[in-house]
Amino acid sequence: MRNVDEDTITQIVLARHAEAKKPRLKQIMTSVVQHLHAFARDVHLSEHEWFEGIQFLTEVGHITDDKRQEFILLSDTLGLSMLVTALNNHKPPGCTESTVLGPFFVEDAPQYANGDDLGNGAKGEACFVTGKVIGLDGEAVPNARIDVWQADSDGFYDVQYGERAETHGRGTLRSLSDGSFHFRSVTAESYPIPYDGPVGRMLTALGRHPWRPAHLHFMIDAPGYERLITHVFRSGDEYLDSDAVFGVRSSLIANWLRHESGTAPDGTVHDSPFSTLDFTFVLNRLEGTASRGR
Ligand code: BEZ
Ligand code: FE
């Protein structure tokens, strides 16, 4: 094909995909080409701007490694991650809503028993978390695998400290026979997503801040139920309405109660401040799985 011009190029590129073997790949790439071309036409993209875009994506690639995923940050800050989460997690009313996974989840985090301290020396005020995992009919979900991860009071996840022998503010535990669980950690605080790279520069250029409201991350797996990936956000946080990655759902906001001193839920007595949080997670049954009753 010769003499391709601005009016004919989109259809000509799409025609080249006619022999694509995988229908889903063909569908996705057709849409990508159509939207990219429509975008360039819409803003009348200059050659200089096109090259700036290429340089930006090159920097995103260069700073990405097994510890830092700038592409996920880019997706998160452009709202794409939350859009994909929302598109793929329609649940019946009453189920706990999903939100973004984020870049700091780690497979095979250490296992803890109920009552243990997942903070494991993380910086911050003590926080005692109690909760329950139930199904939509209110039935207890025992032995659910609960992954928890959170930033310390300086706003950093353990993996952001580089090589460290131990995890901090991260672990897995199992719900008990009545679906309950409890652990100790540190009180979550709002923190900025990593902004020392190209995504941070993009946010600054757009007049946006990099902050996320204080939250704990949870991933909950139980046989017969859909995996739940979510956060619990701390009520009153100043960034609840301007989360840098658009992850806040009203139903996920909970009260962290602050105590100046006193007896914590695990029976320990404290003469310094600590907080408590209680949250119930309601899982959606996997399609084709019968109700287990109450
Ligand atoms: C997080 O909450 O861990 C997170 C989510 C998206 C981008 C950066 C961090
Ligand atoms: Fe987080």
Side-chain angles (χ1 to χ4, degrees):
M1 178 61 64
R2 295 185 185 175
N3 304 322
V4 174
D5 66 23
E6 65 189 79
D7 295 322
T8 58
I9 188 159
T10 305
Q11 285 314 314
I12 290 168
V13 173
L14 295 181
R16 288 276 171 94
H17 299 173
E19 304 302 319
K21 299 262 180 311
K22 295 182 178 165
R24 179 66 176 158
L25 176 70
K26 186 173 175 181
Q27 181 190 14
I28 288 174
M29 291 311 296
T30 297
S31 185
V32 166
V33 168
Q34 284 170 332
H35 283 89
L36 274 178
H37 287 205
F39 147 72
R41 288 191 180 97
D42 184 35
V43 300
H44 200 106
L45 196 66
S46 73
E47 287 160 295
H48 175 71
E49 289 162 342
W50 170 83
F51 192 60
E52 279 202 342
I54 295 290
Q55 279 179 317
F56 173 75
L57 290 174
T58 304
E59 284 175 58
V60 171
H62 281 164
I63 202 171
T64 295
D65 58 22
D66 60 343
K67 297 254 160 16
R68 167 114 183 209
Q69 234 305 353
E70 196 80 357
F71 282 107
I72 294 187
L73 270 190
L74 181 58
S75 164
D76 293 339
T77 52
L78 294 181
L80 179 62
S81 308
M82 194 56 212
L83 172 60
V84 173
T85 296
L87 284 171
N88 289 283
N89 287 281
H90 294 148
K91 297 175 202 265
C95 285
T96 301
E97 294 186 274
S98 303
T99 189
V100 288
L101 175 68
F104 300 124
F105 172 69
V106 171
E107 297 277 358
D108 301 322
Q111 292 172 18
Y112 286 95
N114 278 277
D116 282 351
D117 182 4
L118 273 63
N120 193 28
K123 232 173 153 180
E125 212 167 88
C127 178
F128 295 87
V129 180
T130 52
K132 217 165 171 192
V133 185
I134 62 174
L136 254 187
D137 294 335
E139 75 277 17
V141 179
N143 204 32
R145 180 191 154 111
I146 304 164
D147 266 278
V148 185
W149 65 107
Q150 69 164 107
D152 65 15
S153 60
D154 284 342
F156 293 113
Y157 286 79
D158 52 1
V159 290
Q160 293 179 280
Y161 285 102
E163 292 309 324
R164 266 186 166 192
E166 289 189 320
T167 59
H168 302 270
R170 175 187 306 281
T172 69
L173 67 162
R174 296 270 173 180
S175 58
L176 300 168
S177 57
D178 62 352
S180 70
F181 64 88
H182 58 284
F183 63 89
R184 176 182 172 155
S185 190
V186 294
T187 304
E189 306 287 351
S190 45
Y191 66 86
I193 62 170
Y195 59 93
D196 56 343
V199 170
R201 287 207 311 281
M202 176 190 81
L203 293 180
T204 304
L206 291 172
R208 288 175 53 179
H209 71 70
W211 287 83
R212 297 215 65 204
H215 58 271
L216 292 181
H217 292 257
F218 288 88
M219 181 187 286
I220 304 183
D221 285 290
Y225 294 90
E226 283 179 7
R227 166 177 281 180
L228 173 65
I229 297 175
T230 196
H231 303 0
V232 179
F233 293 94
R234 190 169 149 194
S235 67
D237 192 288
E238 66 177 298
Y239 298 109
L240 283 170
D241 290 313
S242 64
D243 180 9
V245 306
F246 311 98
V248 179
R249 322 286 307 168
S250 301
S251 67
L252 301 177
I253 301 173
N255 281 326
W256 256 255
L257 299 178
R258 192 156 189 275
H259 311 262
E260 286 305 324
S261 60
T263 307
D266 68 352
T268 52
V269 179
H270 297 257
D271 54 13
S272 51
F274 61 93
S275 62
T276 52
L277 165 70
D278 185 62
F279 199 83
T280 296
F281 296 91
V282 184
L283 304 187
N284 194 18
R285 209 166 284 116
L286 271 178
E287 255 173 58
T289 310
S291 165
R292 296 167 174 209
R294 277 170 203 269

